[in-house]
Amino acid sequence: TVVGVYVGPSGRGVGVIDALLAAVAEWSRSRGDHVLTLDVHERNAPAIRAYQRNGFEVRSAFDAESGRELGMVKPLVDER
């Protein structure tokens, strides 16, 4: 599960989130994990686009203390 991702303004648009998520996926695969999951605020369109670009799909929606959230999942299959 990916928790608490934040990329500061100077790191946005330069591939920081892509590199971070690729590293997390590789580490998770090495542990034998089959999926990555995360939750994101439904109004955080830039984050949702970044996660989708990195292979995450929306699988659920739910109400949280901070508002509506989307549950996203990325299968960790061998991409070779």
Side-chain angles (χ1 to χ4, degrees), residues 12-34:
R12 295 178 190 156
V14 296
V16 171
I17 191 67
D18 299 329
L20 175 64
L21 292 173
V24 168
E26 186 59 35
W27 178 78
S28 294
R29 278 189 202 98
S30 75
R31 294 173 27 106
D33 295 336
H34 300 284

Side-chain angles (χ1 to χ4, degrees), residues 9-72:
S10 65
R12 295 178 190 156
V14 296
V16 171
I17 191 67
D18 299 329
L20 175 64
L21 292 173
V24 168
E26 186 59 35
W27 178 78
S28 294
R29 278 189 202 98
S30 75
R31 294 173 27 106
D33 295 336
H34 300 284
V35 297
L36 281 177
T37 63
L38 60 83
D39 301 332
V40 60
H41 295 263
E42 72 174 357
R43 292 184 180 173
N44 192 345
I48 294 167
R49 284 191 302 272
Y51 297 141
Q52 288 174 325
R53 183 176 66 245
N54 281 277
F56 285 84
E57 298 176 353
V58 175
R59 293 285 174 91
S60 63
F62 58 95
D63 293 320
E65 287 184 27
S66 58
R68 192 88 171 141
E69 299 241 347
L70 303 176
M72 300 185 79

